[in-house]
Amino acid sequence: MHGEVRAGEPDEDDAGAVRRLVGQQQPGLPATLARGVLRVDARGDTLGLWANLSLDSLSLDGLRPSYPAIAVGGAFAGDVRLAGFLDSLDLHAHLTGPAGEIAGDGAVFLLGPRRGAHWLDAQFTRLDLHQLDAAWPRTALRGRLRGSARLDTLAAARARATVALGPSVVEGTALDSLAARVTLADGLLGVDTLGLWAPELVASARGGIGVAADRSDTLRVAGRADSVGVLEPFARWLRGRADTVAAPSGTATLQATIAGSLDRFG
């Protein structure tokens, strides 16, 4: 951390304040570099932080040891502002990087084993999931995410989110729009509603599926493609090869029920 750091009490040194904010830097991992002002108030039971930071590099890989819930990698640069105490920190961020551009506001909490967001509203453009995790498809997503989350090492994670996508691309397959509302609670991922629209394609889903091995639910999926050829670029990615076989043609209708938990498909 570079720049001016003001501590709220003598026994809270600068380095300690930074470690509590971004975690302890691990040897061999990319560093997060920031410039700006960080004020700390350690007079009460809950640490207070007021930060106005310009990030030269926000390394998600470097933050993961301190924040295991960060399951993706990559790096961003941009501006971050924080204000409040660790039980409810106001957050304003605008970040760009190889994975795209993200701008968001929210209120986050960082209380020992309990971390998450009371609320979050983020918009993104050119979001490439492959840049965050090589196992995910190449994408160019434009949309908005709103929701809340609570991650606790002593209890099951809880979250709810609403996702809306505008014109986007997934592995060469164009999407017109997507709208989804999902929840995570008690080891179950619930899909309250999901609708996807693309050229010559429409799909929907509703229900749920277990994310813990001992939890299960049922997810119902329906879809119709007036031309299955529009899915060929994405199908090639699923098959794991870039072949030159002619794209299929014709129509298709899908009605499927998926029961159980995600570990059955791992």
Side-chain angles (χ1 to χ4, degrees), residues 44-217:
D45 295 333
T46 303
L47 186 71
L49 294 174
W50 289 262
N52 191 344
L53 304 175
S54 177
L55 297 169
D56 295 335
S57 174
L58 172 64
S59 170
L60 300 182
D61 297 288
L63 291 178
R64 191 180 300 124
S66 298
Y67 299 90
I70 300 177
V72 296
F76 290 88
D79 300 313
V80 173
R81 298 197 309 274
L82 297 167
F85 291 84
L86 294 190
D87 56 357
S88 186
L89 271 173
D90 287 339
L91 167 69
H92 306 276
H94 185 190
L95 304 172
T96 60
E101 181 177 0
I102 302 172
D105 303 294
V108 301
F109 56 93
L110 307 167
L111 296 172
R114 292 187 292 114
R115 301 177 179 186
H118 296 299
W119 67 272
L120 181 69
D121 188 346
Q123 299 186 54
F124 47 88
T125 57
R126 301 178 289 102
L127 183 63
D128 186 355
L129 299 180
H130 188 76
Q131 291 284 344
L132 301 176
D133 189 325
W136 292 353
R138 291 175 173 82
T139 63
L141 305 179
R142 181 176 70 84
R144 184 179 186 183
L145 168 68
R146 291 175 290 174
S148 61
R150 173 173 173 156
L151 307 175
D152 193 330
T153 58
L154 305 178
R158 302 181 67 87
R160 62 176 61 248
T162 299
V163 181
L165 296 182
S168 300
V169 179
V170 178
E171 281 293 337
T173 297
L175 303 180
D176 289 333
S177 63
L178 178 145
R181 186 170 66 248
V182 299
T183 59
L184 176 65
D186 302 322
L188 293 173
L189 175 64
V191 180
D192 299 332
T193 179
L194 185 151
L196 179 151
W197 296 266
E200 302 186 271
L201 173 69
V202 62
S204 63
R206 185 182 297 270
I209 195 165
V211 294
D214 59 344
R215 301 288 286 165
S216 64
D217 204 341

Side-chain angles (χ1 to χ4, degrees), residues 14 142 203 223 230 237:
D14 296 354
R142 181 176 70 84
V230 300
W237 174 77

Side-chain angles (χ1 to χ4, degrees), residues 5-14 16-18 20-21 37-51 82-87 89 111:
V5 180
R6 301 193 184 105
E9 190 162 275
D11 62 1
E12 175 73 8
D13 63 14
D14 296 354
V18 172
R20 296 179 69 172
L21 177 62
V37 176
L38 171 64
R39 294 191 298 113
V40 179
D41 184 346
R43 292 171 294 181
D45 295 333
T46 303
L47 186 71
L49 294 174
W50 289 262
L82 297 167
F85 291 84
L86 294 190
D87 56 357
L89 271 173
L111 296 172

Side-chain angles (χ1 to χ4, degrees), residues 232 236 239 241-247:
E232 179 58 16
R236 283 201 302 268
R239 293 198 298 267
R241 66 178 188 274
D243 53 35
T244 57
V245 176

Side-chain angles (χ1 to χ4, degrees), residues 235-261:
R236 283 201 302 268
W237 174 77
L238 288 176
R239 293 198 298 267
R241 66 178 188 274
D243 53 35
T244 57
V245 176
S249 60
T251 64
T253 301
L254 171 70
Q255 295 282 345
T257 299
I258 304 171
S261 60

